[in-house]
Amino acid sequence: MQRIDWSELPGWGEDDHARAWPALRESCNAIARQPRWQATCEAARALGDAPAAALVRRFLEAHLEPWAIVNPDGTREGLITGYYEPLIRGSRTRSERYPWPIHGVPPDMLTVDFGDLYPDLKSLRLRGRIVGNKVVPYWTRADIERMQDRAPAPALLWAADPIDLFFLQVQGSGRVELPDGTKVRIGYADQNGHPYQSIGRWLVAQGELPIEKASMEGIKNWARANPQRLSEMLNTNPSYVFFRELPARGGGPIGALGVPLTDERSVAVDPRTVPLGAPVYLSTTWPLSNRPLQRLMVAQDTGGAIKGAVRADFFWGFGPEAGVQAGRMRQQGQLWVLLPRSSRP
């Protein structure tokens, strides 16, 4: 990171900083006990629930300072994608109409957190299973699909559409509409330990889609036109996400920080570079556009594909319109993390 002045943030004076205040307050619910954030969060509580935009800006400039995030090669731009909370159709019972399992965490999956033994490896976590006296990699997506009813992961719900279920796994959380119209919220519980591989990139490499059509919408259209190759496409991504059912409540889904996400103000980051809970300033462009998108965000989530220094996933919210924006977003952008004046990266 490189320390900069507030005047170097593009569009900083034009943003409505108050729109990010709910997300900032949510972050403080999670990080206020950390010595780095304690004084800042105490001051934030004193401002109340809805301070004016000008007051929020003065607060940020008084308590924090901006640090530019720089890639290892010295560049300052990186990929900014989007995600959202989808709604899919499903059921609590399996049937011909709802044949695709939404799996919970399998009881035989072993998680080894190397940080407990070696602090230098705190970001390294291994998931596997025990065979004899050895730990081997956990089952891939293809393995789990092939096992069907023999898969050790319990089925929480049953989905109507496999491609909708796949993108629910990519998003990490969502809602399932049951046949009676009620909705169940589910969230990320764990992952099988295999790295995420982009099915969009696979389709481009196979010559099935041009790069400009490899969006979520384009992938769904291809899948429905090529049902005989659906498993082949999905299984190029060995990663598999397991879910848990969440209590019915308002607000956004729960992110990796453990607090609800805020529409268009929460962002997923690589926590090896950006500390979860920190305010982040983003400068990018609107999906499929050169129109500037510059605003205060808060780092409240992570993702299997969100790896690298200047790399972020913009949370658009819930529903079809949010899905359209998220599916189209693949822009270049810059990031700055805002840290308390008394601390350093």
Side-chain angles (χ1 to χ4, degrees):
M1 297 184 189
Q2 294 178 358
R3 173 74 172 88
I4 67 161
D5 293 324
W6 291 102
S7 60
E8 297 179 62
L9 293 180
W12 174 253
E14 286 71 54
D15 186 28
D16 182 357
H17 302 86
R19 297 286 298 274
W21 191 250
L24 288 165
R25 290 289 298 267
E26 288 287 1
S27 275
C28 276
N29 289 335
I31 64 174
R33 293 184 180 180
Q34 296 179 20
R36 168 188 278 186
W37 292 102
Q38 189 171 11
T40 302
C41 285
E42 287 178 0
R45 290 194 195 99
L47 288 187
D49 294 333
L55 184 57
V56 174
R57 178 180 172 180
R58 289 197 298 271
F59 169 85
L60 295 169
E61 293 176 354
H63 290 271
L64 307 177
E65 54 186 4
W67 293 79
I69 300 175
V70 183
N71 291 313
D73 63 2
T75 61
R76 292 197 178 193
E77 284 202 343
L79 180 63
I80 310 298
T81 51
Y83 71 119
Y84 76 113
E85 186 182 19
L87 176 67
I88 72 170
R89 292 179 296 114
S91 173
R92 289 197 180 276
T93 56
R94 184 179 188 178
S95 67
E96 185 176 345
R97 185 177 180 185
Y98 302 101
W100 304 96
I102 302 174
H103 284 300
V105 179
D108 68 332
M109 188 170 73
L110 180 69
T111 300
V112 180
D113 194 334
F114 285 90
D116 292 341
L117 298 173
Y118 308 103
D120 291 343
L121 300 178
K122 64 180 180 180
S123 64
L124 184 59
R125 183 174 296 164
L126 176 123
R127 293 167 179 88
R129 56 192 177 90
I130 297 176
V131 176
N133 62 350
K134 293 183 178 180
V135 177
V136 300
Y138 199 71
W139 304 112
T140 65
R141 172 181 296 276
D143 294 329
I144 293 170
E145 180 180 299
R146 185 171 56 252
M147 286 188 286
Q148 296 185 358
D149 291 343
R150 294 181 292 107
L156 303 180
L157 298 157
W158 299 86
D161 186 286
I163 192 68
D164 284 345
L165 174 57
F166 177 86
F167 279 107
L168 175 66
Q169 291 189 319
V170 172
Q171 305 307 315
S173 62
R175 305 181 202 183
V176 181
E177 184 173 12
L178 303 180
D180 64 1
T182 59
K183 295 179 177 65
V184 177
R185 177 171 255 165
I186 57 176
Y188 175 94
D190 214 329
Q191 186 260 357
N192 66 344
H194 291 272
Y196 173 84
Q197 301 291 335
S198 169
I199 60 174
R201 288 199 190 116
W202 180 83
L203 287 169
V204 172
Q206 295 290 310
E208 296 293 331
L209 286 178
I211 186 66
E212 65 271 13
K213 292 289 183 68
S215 63
M216 182 168 60
E217 183 179 3
I219 294 170
K220 286 185 175 182
N221 290 338
W222 185 92
R224 291 183 175 123
N226 298 272
Q228 74 282 359
R229 298 188 66 189
L230 180 62
S231 290
E232 178 189 2
M233 177 186 70
L234 297 182
N235 290 337
T236 61
N237 174 31
S239 175
Y240 198 93
V241 170
F242 304 106
F243 291 98
R244 60 192 174 102
E245 187 171 338
L246 300 174
R249 49 171 292 279
I254 302 298
L257 184 63
V259 302
L261 303 181
T262 300
D263 299 1
E264 300 186 32
R265 291 290 172 169
S266 293
V267 67
V269 297
D270 187 338
R272 294 174 299 179
T273 301
V274 180
L276 280 177
V280 173
Y281 192 70
L282 168 68
S283 178
T284 184
T285 53
W286 286 81
L288 302 180
S289 165
N290 292 322
R291 183 161 62 101
L293 176 58
Q294 298 167 330
R295 61 179 58 170
L296 177 65
M297 309 290 291
V298 187
Q300 295 178 321
D301 208 359
T302 60
I306 313 305
K307 303 297 182 186
V310 186
R311 178 72 175 94
D313 212 14
F314 185 103
F315 179 66
W316 284 97
F318 169 73
E321 180 56 34
V324 169
Q325 296 282 41
R328 293 175 176 173
M329 190 167 192
R330 192 174 179 83
Q331 317 298 110
Q332 289 295 298
Q334 294 178 268
L335 296 171
W336 296 262
V337 62
L338 313 183
L339 297 176
R341 290 185 175 276
S342 59
S343 68
R344 290 293 183 269

